[in-house]
Amino acid sequence: MSDVPNTASDAELCAADRRPPFVQLVPMGIQHVLVMYAGTIAVALIVGGALELSRADISYLIMADLLCCGIGTLIQSLGIWVFGIRMPIVMGSSFVTVGPMVAMATSGQVSIAGIFGATVVSGIFGMLLVPFFTRLLKFFPPLVTGTVIASIGISLMPVGINWAAGGVGAEDFGAPVNVGLAVFVLACILTINRLGRGIWVNISVLLGLLVGYIVALPLGVVSLDGLGSQPVVGIITPLHFGMLEFPLSGIIAMCIIMVVTLVESTGMCLALGEMVGKPVDRGLLNRGLYGDGIATTIAGFLNGFPHTSFSQNVGLVGMTGVTSRFVTVVSGAVLILLSLFPQAAFVVASIPKPVLGGAGLVMFGMVAAAGINIITKADMAQRSNQLVFAVSIGFGMIPLAAPGFFAVFPDWTGPIVHSGILLTTVAAVVTNLLLNGPEAVAEEDDTAARAALEDAAARQHEPATGRD
């Protein structure tokens, strides 16, 4: 672990650096893993299928992905040298990369070794870009930051809704049993938050998932077929699929994706900073984005894909109020352990989509709520601020409301125009500059810094784990 001090004061670090008792850390850390698990293994499943890999090779990709997620999570949560923001972040395979990687795979011109090579180069490219990228932080006052964070929650809602119905492509999509399970899990989480105290509130999502899983077993929606064929122990080795290759087309595509990832990660870091009372200045944002870059670079060598901070886990932080980075340290350790025991990972992967959907509706909505809370720090009585919010959210809704809106655009623009979060970010920054002027950005930036400092000082005395 790095002993290099952060730029923030001890007061600002207090919430993120609190360490709950070990008996609480473990269930809260597992809760984070269950929330992100389906999303991260989906990348390996889709890309592996596009490459027409064998079931054994796809299983290996999943295990490698879990290992990379664990390593990336530890880097971000603990901090190593200049890498890692030291906040409760869980890393996972970026779904934004799926489209370009599938295109590479189906073209027949880029092998899996070429995808991994492009991943390594994109990670290095991202780290080289960070010092210039974080100079843009002043363009993210509360109005812009809150709007972007709200759009993250809104963009994630379709994921939770589709999960609740059974998952995209499911034969029983929308079946009463699926919707009923999702509503049941949602009701369990809300009941625990209404009646529970302390640790029970903090692990309400985990409890909801466990109860939902138990109820789903006799309903026949949990499939454990193939569990017996999984090895008991498996070890991931670097360059398992051969020496890295570096196709130019793949490198260009993945570097473009890396820029998109850095924009989205900036939003995640700013959101977490607000949640844990730890203002994200340029130094902290540097650490966080360097963490994304190094995690992606390591992943390429370990048979993994580009990594980023998972927004659903940011939502979980907002939902539970558990802001300790040591919780996600446990999550990282659990992910590494799962990569060593394929059968355990298989059981976790068998959690039905409707069960995940019930939890997702709460968590993703909480991300949007966190964004709205930040927006209130701006003067929303001003028509210019209302217009910034309205136009930005409108742009962010385009990929959700009309997926074919940009169908005539070149293929290389796909990662950009199909990211509602990125469209919202660009629209918010540009409209804020046009309507409020550059001087307003600087003024709001100062105001945001003072407000964040006041929030951090106030949160020093808040309980670290839920309600008393």
Side-chain angles (χ1 to χ4, degrees):
M1 248 187 303
S2 170
D3 293 323
V4 178
N6 282 309
T7 56
S9 68
D10 290 342
E12 295 162 22
L13 293 173
C14 186
D17 286 346
R18 289 190 183 122
R19 189 178 310 196
F22 183 75
V23 293
Q24 297 181 12
L25 277 175
V26 173
M28 290 189 292
I30 293 174
Q31 181 174 241
H32 270 286
V33 172
L34 294 180
V35 164
M36 58 78 69
Y37 194 93
T40 193
I41 68 170
V43 176
L45 288 170
I46 295 171
V47 176
L51 287 163
E52 299 182 352
L53 298 180
S54 67
R55 186 171 182 179
D57 282 341
I58 292 177
S59 176
Y60 192 92
L61 279 182
I62 292 174
M63 298 302 102
D65 181 64
L66 293 176
L67 175 63
C68 296
C69 291
I71 293 172
T73 299
L74 291 178
I75 290 172
Q76 288 284 24
S77 301
L78 291 174
I80 300 174
W81 190 38
V82 299
F83 305 104
I85 199 169
R86 292 176 180 164
M87 286 203 286
I89 283 180
V90 175
M91 299 288 284
S93 291
S94 173
F95 212 82
V96 179
T97 64
V98 170
M101 288 193 294
V102 169
M104 287 184 239
T106 55
S107 70
Q109 299 176 353
V110 180
S111 67
I112 188 169
I115 291 176
F116 293 145
T119 297
V120 170
V121 174
S122 70
I124 296 172
F125 171 77
M127 287 187 283
L128 293 174
L129 194 62
V130 167
F132 306 99
F133 191 86
T134 51
R135 292 180 185 275
L136 303 177
L137 189 60
K138 64 181 179 180
F139 295 103
F140 289 83
L143 175 61
V144 174
T145 301
T147 301
V148 171
I149 294 169
S151 77
I152 293 172
I154 294 171
S155 296
L156 285 170
M157 287 305 293
V159 176
I161 293 170
N162 281 306
W163 280 351
V168 176
E171 294 182 0
D172 61 346
F173 188 86
V177 65
N178 293 337
V179 177
L181 265 176
V183 171
F184 175 73
V185 172
L186 174 61
C188 286
I189 294 172
L190 295 178
T191 301
I192 294 169
N193 276 273
R194 177 65 181 89
L195 303 178
R197 294 290 184 272
I199 180 62
W200 303 109
V201 173
N202 296 337
I203 62 171
S204 60
V205 174
L206 173 62
L207 294 175
L209 290 172
L210 290 176
V211 173
Y213 189 89
I214 292 171
V215 171
L217 283 169
L219 297 177
V221 295
V222 178
S223 175
L224 294 174
D225 295 340
L227 176 61
S229 64
Q230 298 294 315
V232 177
V233 178
I235 304 296
I236 303 302
T237 56
L239 308 177
H240 174 80
F241 293 92
M243 289 299 296
L244 299 178
E245 299 173 4
F246 302 97
L248 181 60
S249 60
I251 290 172
I252 293 173
M254 297 298 262
C255 285
I256 292 173
I257 289 297
M258 196 66 201
V259 175
V260 177
T261 298
L262 291 179
V263 172
E264 293 188 341
S265 291
T266 297
M268 307 301 174
C269 292
L270 293 171
L272 271 177
E274 291 287 340
M275 291 177 184
V276 307
K278 182 176 181 179
V280 177
D281 57 14
R282 186 181 171 197
L284 282 175
L285 184 57
N286 272 340
R287 295 183 64 95
L289 298 185
Y290 275 134
D292 278 12
I294 194 66
T296 295
T297 303
I298 292 172
F301 283 107
L302 291 177
N303 321 292
F305 307 110
H307 275 56
T308 186
S309 51
F310 258 32
S311 48
Q312 50 260 59
N313 294 91
V314 175
L316 184 60
V317 172
M319 167 67 192
T320 63
V322 178
T323 58
S324 173
R325 62 192 174 97
F326 295 102
V327 170
T328 51
V329 168
V330 172
S331 303
V334 170
L335 286 165
I336 292 174
L337 284 175
L338 284 174
S339 75
L340 299 175
F341 301 100
Q343 290 186 346
F346 191 95
V347 172
V348 175
S350 69
I351 297 177
K353 288 292 195 302
V355 174
L356 291 171
L361 291 174
V362 177
M363 295 181 302
F364 303 157
M366 287 298 292
V367 176
I372 294 171
N373 182 54
I374 296 169
I375 291 172
T376 59
K377 295 179 181 179
D379 183 4
M380 293 307 292
Q382 291 186 22
R383 185 170 181 80
S384 60
N385 288 346
Q386 295 174 13
L387 285 170
V388 170
F389 177 79
V391 172
S392 303
I393 292 296
F395 268 79
M397 288 295 293
I398 291 175
L400 303 179
F405 190 90
F406 296 105
V408 299
F409 280 51
D411 291 342
W412 65 267
T413 65
I416 300 172
V417 298
H418 292 150
S419 172
I421 299 171
L422 181 58
L423 291 178
T424 299
T425 302
V426 173
V429 170
V430 172
T431 53
N432 187 49
L433 284 171
L434 290 176
L435 297 177
N436 292 323
E439 64 281 356
V441 170
E443 290 173 5
E444 285 195 58
D445 192 43
D446 292 339
T447 302
R450 289 195 297 271
L453 287 170
E454 292 170 2
D455 286 348
R459 294 190 194 193
Q460 288 185 74
H461 307 294
E462 291 181 358
T465 53
R467 297 194 299 267
D468 292 330

